[in-house]
Amino acid sequence: MTHIADSHDLIRVHGARVNNLKDVSVEIPKRRLTVFTGVSGSGKSSLVFGTIAAESQRMINETYSAFVQGFMPNLARPDVDVLEGLTTAIIVDQERMGSDPRSTVGTATDANAMLRILFSRLGKPHIGSSQAFSFNVASISGAGAVTLEKGGVTTRERRSFSITGGMCPRCEGRGAVTDFDLTALYDEEKSLNEGALTIPGYSMEGWHGRIFRGSGFFDPDKPIRKYTKRELADLLHKEPTKIKVDGINLTYTGLIPAIQKSLLAKDREAMQPHIRAFVDRAITFTTCPECDGTRLSEGARSSKIKGISIADACRMQISDLAAWVRDLDEPSVKPLLAKLRHSLASFVEIGLGYLSLDRPSGTLSGGEAQRTKMIRHLGSSLTDVTYVFDEPTIGLHPHDIQRMNELLIQLRDKGNTVLVVEHKPEAIAIADRVVDLGPRAGTAGGEVVFEGTVEGLRASGTLTGRHLDDRARLKATVRTPAGKLEIRGAATHNLRNVDVDIPLGVLVVVTGVAGSGKSSLIHGSVAKRDGVVAVDQTPIRGSRRSNPATYTGLLEPIRKAFAKANGVKPALFSANSEGACPTCNGAGVIYTDLAMMAGVASPCEECEGRRFQASVLEYHLGGRDISEVLSMPVTEAEQFFGTGDARVPAAHAILTHLVDVGLGYLTLGQPLTTLSGGERQRIKLATRMGEKGGVYILDEPTTGLHLADVENLLALLDRLVDAGKSVIVIEHHQAVMAHADWIVDLGPGAGHDGGLVVFEGTPTDLVAARSTLTGRHLAEYVGS
């Protein structure tokens, strides 16, 4: 007879209504691998991440004290009737890792911490504790008198202290030093009062003007080129100094320390576009001459184990480092060596052996970041845990997908529940159970259209089922190039002086295993040229106030059209400006903060969630007010702005791009925070398509795309090429490779085993030759 405790073998979800889910009910078997499929935007992430994983995390957080919960993210209870049988959820998502300049692959995975301890124990000469090998700890020392009370008598004693850190004093552990191009900071022909400063935000009208005029360090009416050495030094380099202006205490800081503190402290990707453009123009980053980019002080670099310093170890390719650590045999640190060996072996096992520990974590692609996070879980002793993966095959060559499948099965076989959101047929094939959502995306999705086995899915007739066995065929004829783009001596990262000609006027696919040097070749040698529009993988950032209309620049022509038709200011038609409802400030909802409990968002009673003042909604364009326009789906809006009274050619052009990338179902005012990863990627693609350029670079545009949408993407690529553009796609998807006019295959392996062009030619020649890994997998795919 089964014990009652063994009967809880299902995760039950009843009545889930998160985002676009329509009262979804499913039962998911525990200790099995369940794959969730469906078109991008059908509700997969809403069910898996927004409902199951979110509730599991919220319930775990509730077990902590109210004090601890105050420091944790506040999670609201998902909109669902019943959730039973949940286990602890560990989420391994595609969020890029924080790109803090001090964060590296080593610091993000604890491999660095173990290496530091190893060198502090075994390094010769011995220089100190593990802190002495950390590039985040500065060396400091001090001495002084302290006053003590002993037995009622006050005595003074001299005390001194010192901390030995491993930080390079010149670059402060960043590995690079910054140099300023002074011509980008000011125009030396002008005086400060004439607007000499060209730094964003440094106008003479505000506080900056008040401080510069009142500092007394220089004459604000004198052209900068006439400054004395002392005056120029005060303008540029003066450390923060207290001054008094009109009786107010203020702090004057020279331009360079001020820029370093305000602008350079931020991650470049998080900057606003105009500030990023200024930083790129004004600042040059050069490798620190003192530490040669290793970030470590001379002392840390002098201590060695078998002739290798910690800087050398971090620079090694991880697969080589793993071999070096395997050869170390020291009984005194045996447990540490075992843990370090396992951690490094996991990197190799997961297909990241080509990275090095000193690689900045912000430079990892979405797929690499996700696999780096997986490393923590591979050796975990936890069982009966729910692992939730978001498209783990992203950025993986077909050759690597096989290894990823084995890892997912390994996690399941340890007794864990594995939930995977996935589009690739090779990854769907290993599922014990498939849950297919649809039938379409957005409001036309949010229902479970199939539950069962992979074989059942094939026969089910759903969109996923029908496309599961899709195989693109090789093209009978390929286009003739209109010219070529020469790359000579490319040596970025692992490239080995690559010379290659990229044909123009055709569809070129650059492929190769993960880490073979594809992105290094294209982003390093092509993306920065004039007339090139590069759409990379960096996720688009947006608050809950951002939506497709604001992000794509669509709202601008719409606001102007409304303003012109009604004879009022355009600012009235922005929910972030003058037209905003005063009660909710244009958010459409009122947020109530409940301290350590999740905040509550309730629709604004004044504007009923429309976000605008009632007076603004009286102005119409083509019979619609601004809130009705923002609630239109893209396809409807495209027709609306294409003809009749509401014809706005600028808006129509942007809407056409959104339809082209398959986002016709989105509403114009839907917050960006509610979009899936694939949808965000395509909004970015649609936005960049409007830019003027002859060469388009797309970095893995199939990310987050359903099999049915890949056909639309190929049609879009064809339209771009037929319109006279040159399209270069960095891609692993065999359907895109088969559709190419020309393929450049890099390899043969990853890291220092890659970095060479192993094939260039047509897809037919690649399949016929079968000389590379890509060629063999493509031949298998097209069935030749």
Side-chain angles (χ1 to χ4, degrees):
M1 192 179 137
T2 311
H3 193 287
I4 191 159
D6 296 328
S7 62
H8 305 283
D9 51 5
L10 289 173
I11 296 174
R12 290 191 183 83
V13 182
H14 287 284
R17 291 175 295 277
V18 173
N19 295 334
N20 66 335
L21 296 179
K22 299 172 184 166
D23 269 329
V24 164
S25 299
V26 286
E27 294 190 339
I28 299 160
K30 288 188 186 172
R31 294 175 287 283
R32 295 291 180 273
L33 197 155
T34 305
V35 173
F36 293 79
T37 59
V39 293
S40 178
S42 60
K44 305 181 298 297
S45 297
S46 300
L47 176 61
V48 180
F49 291 92
T51 308
I52 299 170
E55 179 64 356
S56 170
Q57 295 226 301
R58 188 185 73 84
M59 294 177 98
I60 290 166
N61 288 1
E62 282 192 351
T63 62
Y64 299 113
S65 67
F67 173 74
V68 173
Q69 284 182 55
F71 296 96
M72 300 178 92
N74 295 329
L75 303 168
R77 187 181 187 283
D79 188 2
V80 59
D81 296 334
V82 180
L83 264 178
E84 287 177 353
L86 289 180
T87 69
T88 306
I90 292 176
I91 299 174
V92 188
D93 59 16
Q94 289 171 33
E95 285 296 313
R96 300 291 278 265
M97 295 173 86
S99 44
D100 183 282
R102 298 185 182 284
S103 175
T104 64
V105 170
T107 58
T109 55
D110 296 342
N112 252 36
M114 291 186 273
L115 265 182
R116 291 201 306 268
I117 298 169
L118 188 69
F119 273 87
S120 69
R121 299 286 171 82
L122 305 183
K124 297 278 187 296
H126 175 74
I127 59 160
S129 70
S130 62
Q131 277 188 333
F133 295 93
S134 169
F135 54 75
N136 288 327
V137 179
S139 293
I140 50 172
S141 58
V146 291
T147 306
L148 302 171
E149 290 242 352
K150 282 185 182 173
V153 180
T154 304
T155 59
R156 286 165 69 80
E157 286 183 15
R158 185 173 169 75
R159 293 275 172 92
S160 61
F161 75 95
S162 77
I163 295 170
T164 306
M167 180 189 285
C168 165
R170 171 79 192 274
C171 64
E172 296 186 350
R174 287 167 182 257
V177 286
T178 50
D179 236 349
F180 285 83
D181 177 1
L182 300 181
T183 58
L185 304 187
Y186 56 76
D187 179 350
E188 63 172 15
E189 298 300 320
K190 294 181 180 175
S191 70
L192 290 177
N193 278 340
E194 288 168 344
L197 299 183
T198 53
I199 306 165
Y202 278 67
S203 77
M204 294 300 283
E205 273 72 72
W207 278 104
H208 285 296
R210 205 163 176 180
I211 291 170
F212 284 125
R213 286 193 195 99
S215 69
F217 298 132
F218 33 70
D219 179 358
D221 290 315
K222 185 160 83 172
I224 292 179
R225 65 184 168 78
K226 292 187 176 171
Y227 277 22
T228 63
K229 273 188 179 172
R230 175 70 185 272
E231 286 173 330
L232 193 60
D234 284 346
L235 174 69
L236 292 176
H237 301 289
K238 199 165 188 73
E239 289 299 315
T241 309
K242 294 270 187 286
I243 58 170
K244 210 168 192 141
V245 181
D246 302 335
I248 302 170
N249 290 325
L250 296 170
T251 302
Y252 172 85
T253 310
L255 293 179
I256 287 175
I259 292 171
Q260 281 174 325
K261 194 173 176 190
S262 61
L263 302 185
L264 295 192
K266 287 188 190 141
D267 162 34
R268 182 182 173 281
E269 296 304 323
M271 294 174 181
Q272 291 168 286
H274 69 287
I275 292 178
R276 189 185 312 163
F278 164 75
V279 168
D280 289 346
R281 198 171 61 242
I283 292 147
T284 54
F285 291 90
T286 50
T287 304
C288 172
E290 210 158 289
C291 66
D292 190 27
T294 59
R295 305 161 176 251
L296 291 158
S297 64
E298 200 180 334
R301 300 198 309 274
S302 69
S303 181
K304 297 184 176 180
I305 302 174
K306 290 190 174 175
I308 298 279
S309 71
I310 191 165
D312 300 331
C314 290
R315 273 193 167 167
M316 277 185 195
Q317 189 165 303
I318 289 174
S319 52
D320 297 343
L321 178 62
W324 180 74
V325 171
R326 267 200 306 275
D327 291 341
L328 293 179
D329 184 25
E330 180 60 49
S332 64
V333 285
K334 201 170 180 182
L336 176 71
L337 279 173
K339 184 92 173 65
L340 182 57
R341 280 179 194 135
H342 182 274
S343 183
L344 297 173
S346 299
F347 271 104
V348 179
E349 198 178 318
I350 211 163
L352 292 178
Y354 60 87
L355 295 178
S356 59
L357 293 182
D358 65 356
R359 169 98 174 251
S361 57
T363 64
L364 298 180
S365 69
E368 287 171 335
Q370 189 174 15
R371 285 180 288 152
T372 302
K373 292 177 197 168
M374 273 182 80
I375 283 165
R376 288 174 175 266
H377 308 305
L378 289 178
S380 170
S381 319
L382 292 172
T383 59
D384 263 333
V385 170
T386 301
Y387 284 100
V388 188
F389 290 95
D390 190 3
E391 288 190 61
T393 59
I394 278 188
L396 287 187
H397 187 272
H399 166 71
D400 299 315
I401 290 177
Q402 189 59 46
R403 291 161 84 175
M404 177 57 76
N405 284 348
E406 286 164 11
L407 291 169
L408 295 174
I409 290 168
Q410 198 180 315
L411 281 172
R412 177 202 68 190
D413 292 350
K414 279 171 62 178
N416 297 306
T417 307
V418 181
L419 309 182
V420 184
V421 172
E422 193 48 87
H423 291 296
K424 293 263 173 73
E426 302 95 320
I428 297 170
I430 61 163
D432 298 312
R433 187 177 181 80
V434 179
V435 177
D436 191 19
L437 284 109
R440 291 281 170 181
T443 48
E447 298 171 38
V448 173
V449 289
F450 173 79
E451 278 184 84
T453 61
V454 179
E455 287 311 311
L457 177 66
R458 274 200 176 86
S460 67
T462 66
L463 196 61
T464 309
R466 290 202 305 275
H467 287 274
L468 198 59
D469 291 319
D470 273 9
R471 293 290 180 266
R473 282 195 286 280
L474 296 170
K475 290 199 294 197
T477 56
V478 293
R479 299 179 182 93
T480 310
K484 62 183 182 184
L485 202 152
E486 293 185 357
I487 298 174
R488 294 290 175 266
T492 316
H493 297 316
N494 65 330
L495 295 176
R496 298 190 242 169
N497 282 330
V498 168
D499 295 342
V500 65
D501 292 337
I502 307 275
L504 295 174
V506 297
L507 175 59
V508 178
V509 171
V510 181
T511 185
V513 294
S516 58
K518 304 179 298 298
S519 299
S520 303
L521 178 68
I522 300 302
H523 290 299
S525 302
V526 183
K528 299 201 170 47
R529 300 188 187 192
D530 290 339
V532 174
V533 177
V535 185
D536 60 14
Q537 284 188 324
T538 48
I540 63 174
R541 288 181 164 85
S543 68
R544 53 185 176 233
R545 284 183 177 275
S546 311
N547 53 47
T550 57
Y551 182 81
T552 57
L554 173 65
L555 203 55
E556 194 66 25
I558 292 177
R559 283 204 305 254
K560 285 178 179 166
F562 264 97
K564 192 175 175 185
N566 295 285
V568 290
K569 288 195 301 189
L572 283 175
F573 302 100
S574 168
N576 297 328
S577 186
E578 291 181 30
C581 160
T583 310
C584 63
N585 291 327
V589 288
I590 305 285
Y591 290 95
T592 312
D593 182 21
L594 299 176
M596 78 277 176
M597 290 190 290
V600 175
S602 48
C604 171
E605 291 175 6
E606 177 85 13
C607 65
E608 295 175 344
R610 290 199 188 99
R611 303 174 62 194
F612 292 90
Q613 295 174 22
S615 57
V616 174
L617 300 180
E618 288 169 15
Y619 300 118
H620 289 80
L621 176 70
R624 304 280 186 107
D625 66 42
I626 185 73
S627 72
E628 287 171 334
V629 166
L630 288 176
S631 58
M632 278 184 190
V634 168
T635 36
E636 189 186 328
E638 187 202 16
Q639 292 164 356
F640 179 73
F641 289 111
T643 52
D645 301 340
R647 190 169 172 273
V648 182
H652 185 255
I654 295 172
L655 288 161
T656 308
H657 292 321
L658 285 169
V659 171
D660 282 347
V661 296
L663 292 177
Y665 59 88
L666 288 186
T667 56
L668 304 187
Q670 185 175 338
L672 285 189
T673 48
T674 64
L675 300 187
S676 69
E679 288 168 332
R680 291 180 183 213
Q681 178 89 348
R682 283 181 288 157
I683 275 206
K684 186 170 164 181
L685 177 56
T687 309
R688 302 300 300 272
M689 274 169 61
E691 293 183 20
K692 296 280 179 285
V695 180
Y696 281 81
I697 294 172
L698 309 181
D699 196 345
E700 294 194 44
T702 58
T703 298
L705 277 195
H706 187 264
L707 297 158
D709 293 325
V710 172
E711 288 175 18
N712 300 338
L713 176 76
L714 294 176
L716 168 67
L717 297 178
D718 279 342
R719 280 201 297 278
L720 281 173
V721 176
D722 294 340
K725 308 286 187 195
S726 299
V727 181
I728 302 169
V729 184
I730 300 170
E731 191 52 86
H732 292 120
H733 203 295
Q734 295 104 315
V736 183
M737 290 181 211
H739 200 74
D741 296 308
W742 191 259
I743 285 187
V744 176
D745 191 11
L746 284 140
H752 60 44
D753 299 327
L756 296 172
V757 172
V758 289
F759 175 86
E760 44 184 323
T762 63
T764 313
D765 293 344
L766 178 64
V767 166
R770 282 182 169 79
S771 58
T772 69
L773 268 175
T774 308
R776 291 198 287 279
H777 281 279
L778 186 59
E780 201 178 304
Y781 175 82
V782 296
S784 70

